[in-house]
Amino acid sequence: MPSSKATIHEVDFCSLIASEVNILIRQNPSAYPFSEARVEGFGEGKGRRKRKDLRFYGADGKLLLCGEVKLPGTPEGRSPLADKLVQDAEAKAGNCNPPVRYFFTWNVNEFVVFDRRLFDQPLLERRVRPWRLGRYLADAAAVAREDNLNFIKTHFLPDLLRGLADIISGRRAEWLPPDDLFIHSLESHLEWPVQLLSGYILQEASRNKSFDLRVQHWMTDQDWTFVRTPAEEWAKAVDNMAKTLDYVWANRLIFYKALRARFPDLARLDLRRSVRNADDAVAWLSHLFQQAVDRSGDYEPLLMPQSADWATALAFKPEYALDAWRGFLRGIESVDFREVSSDVVGRIFQKLIGPDERHRYGQHFTG
């Protein structure tokens, strides 16, 4: 029996956005370099459905901005900074006649604009400007909700359009600095693992009393203050737990990659296909970390924290968690840490994990 739950398709979403953008332009045409937004066919192939893309045009009919829109809850829409999505958007902008300088990726939760003139540079040297929606939408059904569509129309789009106008016109461009860009990319790629883990903990705690008590004991051990009711407050506590566990793992993975730039004989950082469950993931990554400790003669407190508590493996327990972490590793694969100074790595480390979490997990950074 088909689901009656309301949803929205990518083309319909783009059409709705184009209509709203055109309303904003007509209300104040002198404020924008755009004359209109359109949803147009692109890349029609034999036997394939014609693609439709969101595009922004100038007063002279010149294409000013194009990109890729993907809905959340799909593999392509997990992060607007996913390498393949960004590469596809850049190629699309470069194949226009004439090529378009600025292009974007958008998974509804976040809109990111890029400057193609620096796109051949390493990630930390590119020009990137993100806009976050301000609320998290998990899938197309969440996007289709009337309150969320109204929020996008009335709160998100006006600010986005003003910011895009500043960039396109050359009035002002607030590009992310290198360390903030990398952290932002990490946070974007971590949204999927965090959401999976948060949902997993909530579900298991609701149906397994023993698991529920272990979660509460873990939070107490972290000196957290939490309540079980109302449900929204408990969900916030669980989300904080998921974020802490995932970010600690992410920090260790990043530091391993930084060490591999110094010791290239270390094994490549990945989750092999033979890794099929949480125990496999913990065992394999612990093996890599131990190799890094042995090779460097240092950093055991960071790479191998004495955190043998039961929560360590939770990051890899949810369904699709291994796919999510493989996506995270692909997201940082393109960063060459030989080109990143140690002070930038230190700032990344300090920003990614707060001082309280660093203290509790025995982690520290030294140049």
Side-chain angles (χ1 to χ4, degrees):
M1 181 176 179
S3 171
S4 60
K5 189 176 183 180
T7 187
I8 193 169
H9 297 288
E10 187 180 297
V11 173
D12 296 332
F13 177 75
C14 289
S15 297
L16 182 149
I17 295 301
S19 297
E20 293 299 321
V21 166
N22 289 333
I23 290 172
L24 291 170
I25 292 173
R26 288 195 296 269
Q27 289 174 346
N28 193 3
S30 63
Y32 308 109
F34 310 113
S35 62
E36 65 173 330
R38 299 203 299 258
V39 177
E40 297 182 319
F42 179 84
E44 184 178 14
K46 185 177 180 180
R48 295 182 180 179
R49 183 181 177 185
K50 193 172 185 178
R51 281 287 308 277
K52 296 283 188 177
D53 292 310
L54 179 63
R55 297 179 169 193
F56 297 77
Y57 288 86
D60 56 358
K62 180 181 178 182
L63 180 62
L64 297 180
L65 182 68
C66 65
E68 289 279 356
V69 179
K70 300 296 180 184
L71 296 182
T74 64
E76 300 86 358
R78 295 300 183 184
S79 168
L81 292 170
D83 190 58
K84 185 179 186 305
L85 183 66
V86 176
Q87 293 289 343
D88 288 348
E90 192 276 335
K92 184 177 295 183
N95 289 334
C96 294
N97 188 20
V100 180
R101 176 177 178 182
Y102 299 105
F103 67 95
F104 68 87
T105 57
W106 191 18
N107 72 339
V108 185
N109 288 307
E110 185 174 21
F111 187 108
V112 183
V113 69
F114 301 81
D115 184 348
R116 284 190 66 250
R117 290 187 180 179
L118 290 180
F119 194 71
D120 60 344
Q121 300 298 313
L123 173 65
L124 298 183
E125 297 178 26
R126 296 178 188 173
R127 288 181 175 175
V128 176
R129 169 70 163 91
W131 284 265
R132 287 193 183 276
L133 180 62
R135 57 177 65 179
Y136 181 80
L137 307 183
D139 51 28
V143 175
R145 277 174 37 193
E146 186 175 355
D147 61 319
N148 287 329
L149 287 175
N150 285 335
F151 181 86
I152 293 170
K153 295 175 188 176
T154 60
H155 289 79
F156 181 74
L157 275 183
D159 179 63
L160 172 67
L161 206 58
R162 286 191 294 268
L164 291 176
D166 286 342
I167 290 175
I168 299 296
S169 64
R171 290 194 297 266
R172 181 169 56 92
E174 297 176 352
W175 306 110
L176 283 180
D179 51 343
D180 286 343
L181 170 56
F182 186 48
I183 291 169
H184 192 88
S185 176
L186 292 174
E187 290 175 336
S188 176
H189 285 95
L190 280 169
E191 280 188 355
W192 186 16
V194 168
Q195 290 299 319
L196 289 175
L197 181 53
S198 182
Y200 174 84
I201 295 172
L202 279 175
Q203 183 179 54
E204 290 298 308
S206 68
R207 66 187 186 186
N208 186 323
K209 184 62 175 177
S210 176
F211 183 91
D212 185 16
L213 290 174
R214 297 183 92 179
V215 168
Q216 294 187 54
H217 289 157
W218 187 92
M219 292 180 180
T220 301
D221 288 342
Q222 313 310 308
D223 297 328
W224 290 358
T225 300
F226 62 91
V227 292
R228 290 303 308 267
T229 55
E232 292 79 7
E233 293 302 315
W234 174 239
K236 288 179 182 178
V238 168
D239 192 62
N240 193 30
M241 178 180 180
K243 184 174 291 187
T244 298
L245 292 171
D246 280 351
Y247 273 42
V248 168
W249 271 110
N251 189 71
R252 296 163 73 189
L253 295 169
I254 293 161
F255 203 80
Y256 179 91
K257 185 167 170 56
L259 280 179
R260 188 169 181 262
R262 181 180 174 191
F263 304 105
D265 54 316
L266 289 173
R268 181 175 176 269
L269 180 60
D270 63 6
L271 283 174
R272 303 179 299 179
R273 287 298 163 187
S274 59
V275 173
R276 300 180 181 275
N277 55 50
D279 290 340
D280 289 347
V282 172
W284 170 242
L285 294 176
S286 296
H287 169 71
L288 293 182
F289 296 156
Q290 186 62 61
Q291 285 190 331
V293 169
D294 295 341
R295 182 68 177 86
S296 66
D298 201 353
Y299 305 114
E300 183 170 3
L302 191 153
L303 286 169
M304 304 292 292
Q306 300 303 312
S307 56
D309 64 65
W310 67 279
T312 301
L314 286 181
F316 306 102
K317 288 281 189 181
E319 187 178 10
Y320 305 119
L322 293 178
D323 290 335
W325 282 105
R326 289 184 177 109
F328 171 81
L329 292 175
R330 286 193 297 272
I332 65 174
E333 180 63 30
S334 61
V335 178
D336 186 351
F337 277 87
R338 291 172 298 182
E339 305 295 329
V340 182
S341 65
S342 62
D343 62 323
V344 170
V345 176
R347 289 199 300 275
I348 289 169
F349 171 79
Q350 292 167 12
K351 288 182 179 180
L352 192 62
I353 299 293
D356 290 342
E357 284 73 21
R358 286 203 301 274
H359 174 73
R360 292 189 185 108
Y361 280 85
Q363 301 195 41
H364 64 284
F365 176 84
T366 60

